[in-house]
Amino acid sequence: RMSRHARQLRDHDINPCVAETDASRKCMDDNNYNKDMCTAYFLKYKSCRKFWHDIMMQRKRNGVKPEMPSAEERKKMLESMG
């Protein structure tokens, strides 16, 4: 059984970077945990986290709730950016 924290990390409405997390983990598994082989995946994850963190902080400053947009809302935001 997953802990509450682990469930939240898997929840697309809470964690906008589930796909990047999974890709990084898979790369590590596939490359016998050689981090050098997975740098591109780590950078994608890091930029995902930074991007959504910045949006969350902006929404917080503007009093928008919830601070993290839902998965559906994030999808629309990304599509509108092209």
Side-chain angles (χ1 to χ4, degrees):
R1 207 169 93 85
M2 278 198 281
S3 71
R4 189 169 152 266
H5 180 70
R7 270 198 314 276
Q8 285 182 333
L9 291 177
R10 301 300 311 157
D11 184 336
H12 289 269
D13 283 328
I14 295 171
N15 179 3
C17 302
V18 172
E20 291 78 2
T21 302
D22 291 348
S24 295
R25 189 168 295 133
K26 182 179 181 330
C27 180
M28 290 291 281
D29 288 344
D30 292 349
N31 290 287
N32 203 24
Y33 294 84
N34 178 351
K35 287 181 180 165
D36 297 337
M37 301 292 288
C38 300
T39 307
Y41 292 97
F42 298 151
L43 290 174
K44 276 184 194 166
Y45 171 78
K46 200 171 168 183
S47 64
C48 178
R49 295 296 306 170
K50 181 184 179 342
F51 178 82
W52 290 113
H53 177 77
D54 291 348
I55 288 194
M56 205 170 78
M57 298 285 61
Q58 186 66 50
R59 286 168 66 105
K60 192 174 193 168
R61 278 192 295 276
N62 295 340
V64 178
K65 296 280 182 193
E67 288 158 8
M68 177 57 70
S70 70
E72 189 57 38
E73 198 179 343
R74 289 194 311 268
K75 186 177 173 218
K76 289 177 182 157
M77 290 166 78
L78 291 173
E79 285 168 357
S80 73
M81 290 179 196

